[in-house]
Amino acid sequence: MTTKSMRQRLLASSMICGAALMATQAQAQSTSVVQEVVVTGSRIQTPGIQSASPIVTINAEAIRQQQTPEAEKILRILPTAVPGDGDAVNNGTAGVTTVNLRGMGSQRNLVLLNGKRMTPYNINGAVDLSQIPTALLERVDIITGGASAVYGSDAISGAVNFITKSNFEGFEADANYSQTGEGDGKIVSTAFTVGANSGDGRGNAVVSVNYSKRDGVLFAARPLGQLGIVTANGANLGASAPPAPPAGCGGPGSVASGGSTTTVPTRTQITGVGTTAGQFRDDGSLGSNCSVFNFNPFNYYQTPQERWGGSAFANYQVTDNVEAYANLLYSKTEVRQQIAPSGIFGNSFFVPLGNPYLQASARNTLITQANAARVAGSLPAANWRDLNANGVVDASDDISLVIRRRTGELGERSSTYQNNAFQFSAGVRGELGDSWDWDAFVQQGQSDRVSIAAGYTNVTNFGNALNAVTGPDGKPVCRSGGSCVPVNVFGGYGTITPEMASYVGAVGIEKQSYRQTIVGGSVSGYADAIKIPTAALPVQWSFGAEYREEVGETTPDECLKLAPASCLGGAGGNTLPIKGGFDVYELFGETIIPIFSDVAFAKSLEVELALRFSDYNPSGANTTWKAGVNWEPVEGLRFRAMQQRAVRAPNVGELAAPLVSGLRNAVLDPCSVANASVLAGNPTLRARCISTGMTAAQVGTVQDIVSGQISTFEGTNLALLPAPESADTTTVGFVWTPDYIPVVSRPYFSVDYYKIRVDDWIGTYQAQEVLDACYDGGVAEQCSKIVRINGDLASPAAGIQLFVQNLDYLETEGVELSAGFSLGLDDVGGDESWGRLQFSLNANYYMVNESRSDPTLPKIECVGYYGTSCGNPTHQLRWVQRTNWESGPFSLGYQWRYQDEVSIEETQKSGTFPQFQSIEAYNYVDLFGSWAINDAYRLSASVKNVFEEEPPIIGNEAATTSANSGNTLPSNYDTLGRVFAVGLNVRF
């Protein structure tokens, strides 16, 4: 451990030891927040009852100080969350923002709005947080651990409840503007809210509209992102300019190292022969490989987004005991993702050796290599058409060639996501006597999405265009005839003319629709007669029933449906239509039983129980429950424990996904040229390679995995649908709110241990996991999932079978700490006008965050690691510490974000450049301030990453594609540098 690492650890320890002087963002405001925890995690609303589940609350002031219109950014900095999809995800984004509690997946945490389930954005079951009207938020509650017994399926790792302002009256306008210190990355957001009470005072209506626009920031705008750095050997690290390739082997984006082998000029090889052939030159000759393609500059560190939204909340007191209410939420977003130009990424095509664009010297090189392979017996018969039947390869024949050509002439590849979502609910609620409340509601939500993929190559058309000969008029002509335009890829950049580009280019369009319908009702209250004699309060009850239906559909166009990899070169796979759904009938009940009140060693003692029965079609019935205890031995000290059984039923995508091809991350094909030295001395490994469809000549000579991604075959086996996954969650902790500490006020200190274990979790094997299990472990079942074409795994139609199924287990375990206090400066000898200080801390220490696919495979531990299995790192220790000073109309404070050091996954360490094998601990400091000019106007300003900490460098292949881009981990570390924001709030 380095000296700096030791200092970081000591600093972390001192922070935890001194945590009694801190508080959570909400808990520092008032001890009344403790009373509010009944809102989230329980349907029992009676004041005075405490929750046995730990809850972190972000209040309106903390939300306002973040100066962002995006709820995902507010949650991302919390120690309890691991980054999900968002503005820092480019290659791999779905054009949405999601939350990922405890690193267990965004589909395993439930997102609520005012205690009611929100509609997922597509068939994968996650909610797009872009719908949340942040300007209207009163607070956000995050509950740890399973909450299925209270809210139903999906609440495995917890629930996030967004609470909006109620009974708002008046007018409020918010405007915020931010940009980086480089002058880019601008975000403009506005929101207008109007609320009024009815003339008789029995009703209230609130309408809020919002708009925001986020500018993109390309990798090219930062020195770190301008050039791809190779994770394996550090190539291009510290380069001040892209390394130029040899003369005659160039073109836009071409570099000597640090990029993709799909480049310009074209790389080629004879299909199935191995690493022969080479790379064309600008003049059309064929030589050795001389350049790769620098794909970095085209990508985004921050994706552009435009968002419109509106919400309306209304309630009316129909009678003294009955209130009607209705809510409407609407959002429209457009997000653009962009990556490097498309191309032909190793597809094999039959090419006439008499193709008029093929220069004579290049033709002769190919013929010589093909005949040498024919004599050696390594030229597969299926890859050569001896059209003149003379038994030798010559200019009259066709040969199958692997083509790797970047088609910059078509422009960048992009996906534009257009999302429209609405959610409407209406209901009535009221009182039954003095002690019972009831609520009945109906809710309808729908999400409609269109994604447009542009700038891609049409693989089928490209094959037709390569199959060209000289026509009767002496001009190139496609053998297929029709509208085909022959294409020239046998030279440098610009050989593809606009006419050629028009024929070989492609656009793919997919429509998605998801609908959710919920009908439910519940009663909550107590009966004075049902009370334990030693308790001051009666037993509290809640009962209810709910019906929910969810239906999803995806409709790709003909281009996207084309097997095996759609018509889009470089899109990763084809897409087939999906239409499916499920419905569920549920009954639930909950009780809190006060046992003791105001007796020795028991100021209060309560038991909390809940049970939910769910009957899913088609997944079947299941039961979830919770049992907890709250014990306050003395005033201000409370111990709490909760054991829960949570369940997540498979979502539509897991139930109905057709079998398609895709792309997943992997590091090494053990049978490829990259592992040749190991294969040379390992006959057992060579035999295993041959057993999976390779010839002896292909072992150790075929190309390796390209750009850290491998082709896969994915989907649902309809004959073996996944069963619901179940989780056992445990939380044990205490809350201390002393009232006898001198000087400070509202002190708060809590520590909670949690453990969440998910059995039979629904997912897929990791691609590298299958490769290692087969070739290193000799597991025949895993070897059967490997499909090789011409010996390699990088060719289209080759890959790994990764079907949705129930796997062994997921588990996370740790300790969360929250603490704080408020201090009046006049109490420590200062003048009363000096104001008050508020301190807060929220910290999380992970002990375990691991998964295992089956008992024959090793577990994957992600605490303290990043990589192709873990993706974004799970830092062992993270905290957010805030200090805020308020005096009259002025407020000034800082936010300290800390995240522990992490390392590359152990299985990747040997193949990773030493400097990229670990990332030191990071500290970020943000400043914020505000000035209430008068009762109507407030100015605010903030600076994030004040000291402009540079992100870590790990190259482009260290972790999953969605997590690792631009040579770093953009969702986990600040890549844009210092960010300034200003805002104005007007209210009257």
Side-chain angles (χ1 to χ4, degrees), residues 655-713:
L655 289 171
L659 302 183
V660 297
S661 57
L663 283 177
R664 297 290 174 183
N665 292 100
V667 179
L668 173 70
D669 174 4
C671 303
S672 72
V673 65
N675 205 37
S677 60
V678 175
L679 285 160
N682 192 329
T684 300
L685 178 57
R686 291 184 62 86
R688 288 173 181 168
C689 293
I690 293 171
S691 73
T692 56
M694 303 183 75
T695 66
Q698 290 169 342
V699 176
T701 65
V702 299
Q703 61 185 326
D704 192 31
I705 294 165
V706 178
S707 300
Q709 291 184 314
I710 191 170
S711 297
T712 57
F713 305 97

Side-chain angles (χ1 to χ4, degrees), residues 519-543:
V519 179
S522 63
V523 294
S524 174
Y526 62 92
D528 287 324
I530 305 177
K531 184 176 72 170
I532 294 177
T534 54
L537 294 174
V539 178
Q540 318 291 313
W541 306 91
S542 177
F543 304 99

Side-chain angles (χ1 to χ4, degrees), residues 220-239:
R222 297 293 185 274
L224 175 60
Q226 292 173 0
L227 178 64
I229 298 173
V230 182
T231 296
N233 57 25
N236 293 332
L237 178 64

Side-chain angles (χ1 to χ4, degrees), residues 594-629:
I595 305 296
F596 292 108
S597 300
D598 297 319
V599 300
F601 304 109
K603 176 71 176 176
S604 68
L605 177 65
E606 301 156 356
V607 173
E608 186 172 335
L609 304 171
L611 183 70
R612 175 181 287 256
F613 173 78
S614 305
D615 188 5
Y616 280 85
N617 176 26
S619 301
N622 62 69
T623 301
T624 57
W625 53 267
K626 73 173 182 177
V629 63

Side-chain angles (χ1 to χ4, degrees), residues 63-126:
I63 294 169
R64 182 182 62 80
Q65 290 173 349
Q66 297 301 316
Q67 290 193 278
T68 176
E70 300 170 72
E72 183 270 337
K73 285 186 177 180
I74 296 170
L75 297 176
R76 188 195 304 175
I77 66 171
L78 292 179
T80 189
V82 172
D85 200 349
D87 68 321
V89 179
N90 181 53
N91 192 356
T93 184
V96 297
T97 59
T98 62
V99 60
N100 181 6
L101 296 181
R102 307 294 180 205
M104 304 193 82
S106 57
Q107 74 274 35
R108 293 187 179 88
N109 40 237
L110 189 60
V111 178
L112 308 169
L113 181 67
N114 296 322
K116 290 185 170 57
R117 180 185 292 262
M118 292 194 68
T119 304
Y121 71 85
N122 74 354
I123 60 173
N124 296 321

Side-chain angles (χ1 to χ4, degrees), residues 104 156 644-646 725-730 754-761 808-813 850 852:
M104 304 193 82
I156 294 285
Q644 303 190 57
R645 166 61 60 91
E725 58 188 32
S726 61
D728 291 311
T729 72
T730 303
Y754 60 87
K755 181 178 181 179
I756 306 171
R757 181 184 171 98
V758 184
D759 289 312
D760 298 322
W761 65 284
D808 194 8
Y809 76 88
L810 293 172
E811 186 173 305
T812 186
E813 182 180 9
E850 66 185 29
R852 189 172 67 183

Side-chain angles (χ1 to χ4, degrees), residues 272-624:
V273 172
T275 55
T276 54
Q279 188 168 0
F280 288 91
R281 298 300 191 267
D282 293 345
D283 62 6
S285 61
L286 182 62
S288 60
N289 293 333
C290 53
S291 73
V292 292
F293 188 80
N294 178 23
F295 53 80
N296 260 40
F298 304 92
N299 292 254
Y300 284 118
Y301 276 130
Q302 176 174 285
T303 56
Q305 180 200 66
E306 193 165 14
R307 168 186 162 197
W308 301 261
S311 54
F313 301 87
N315 58 80
Y316 187 78
Q317 199 77 29
V318 180
T319 70
D320 290 344
N321 295 321
V322 177
E323 181 185 57
Y325 63 92
N327 306 322
L328 175 65
L329 190 69
Y330 171 79
S331 71
K332 178 180 180 181
T333 62
E334 182 171 298
V335 176
R336 186 178 191 271
Q337 169 257 23
Q338 176 179 291
I339 53 179
S342 185
I344 297 299
F345 292 81
N347 296 67
S348 292
F349 305 96
F350 271 103
V351 177
L353 287 168
N355 186 302
Y357 290 125
L358 192 60
Q359 191 192 83
S361 64
R363 179 183 299 110
N364 291 336
T365 299
L366 290 171
I367 291 173
T368 299
Q369 291 186 4
N371 278 314
R374 176 184 58 78
V375 171
S378 59
L379 176 62
N383 296 337
W384 168 41
R385 294 172 179 167
D386 187 9
L387 297 183
N388 58 6
N390 63 358
V392 297
V393 181
D394 56 31
S396 299
D397 298 342
D398 293 352
I399 197 79
S400 178
L401 296 179
V402 175
I403 301 294
R404 293 191 175 277
R405 168 57 149 88
R406 191 70 61 161
T407 53
E409 294 93 339
L410 276 66
E412 304 88 358
R413 280 174 291 171
S414 67
S415 290
T416 301
Y417 300 93
Q418 299 171 344
N419 309 314
N420 286 274
F422 86 91
Q423 185 166 304
F424 173 77
S425 63
V428 287
R429 57 193 171 209
E431 299 175 353
L432 294 173
D434 296 329
S435 58
W436 289 89
D437 300 316
W438 59 273
D439 184 10
F441 73 97
V442 60
Q443 179 172 298
Q444 178 78 50
Q446 183 162 325
S447 176
D448 295 305
R449 291 160 44 85
V450 175
S451 61
I452 303 171
Y456 286 83
T457 54
N458 186 318
V459 179
T460 300
N461 284 8
F462 218 103
N464 293 335
L466 284 171
N467 191 9
V469 294
T470 302
D473 59 357
K475 296 180 180 180
V477 61
C478 298
R479 282 174 171 169
S480 61
S483 61
C484 177
V485 178
V487 66
N488 181 8
V489 295
F490 307 116
Y493 180 83
T495 59
I496 299 178
T497 66
E499 293 78 16
M500 296 175 185
S502 178
Y503 178 70
V504 301
V507 173
I509 300 176
E510 180 186 26
K511 296 181 180 180
Q512 300 180 359
S513 179
Y514 198 89
R515 186 181 74 252
Q516 181 187 77
T517 302
I518 305 175
V519 179
S522 63
V523 294
S524 174
Y526 62 92
D528 287 324
I530 305 177
K531 184 176 72 170
I532 294 177
T534 54
L537 294 174
V539 178
Q540 318 291 313
W541 306 91
S542 177
F543 304 99
E546 193 169 276
Y547 169 79
R548 177 162 51 96
E549 180 188 51
E550 303 201 16
V551 178
E553 182 176 4
T554 65
T555 307
D557 65 8
E558 294 303 315
C559 166
L560 294 176
K561 287 191 289 187
L562 190 64
S566 81
C567 78
L568 304 183
N574 66 323
T575 303
L576 295 179
I578 299 174
K579 186 173 184 179
F582 63 86
D583 63 0
V584 56
Y585 293 88
E586 299 184 285
L587 298 173
F588 54 86
E590 184 180 2
T591 183
I592 298 178
I593 307 172
I595 305 296
F596 292 108
S597 300
D598 297 319
V599 300
F601 304 109
K603 176 71 176 176
S604 68
L605 177 65
E606 301 156 356
V607 173
E608 186 172 335
L609 304 171
L611 183 70
R612 175 181 287 256
F613 173 78
S614 305
D615 188 5
Y616 280 85
N617 176 26
S619 301
N622 62 69
T623 301
T624 57

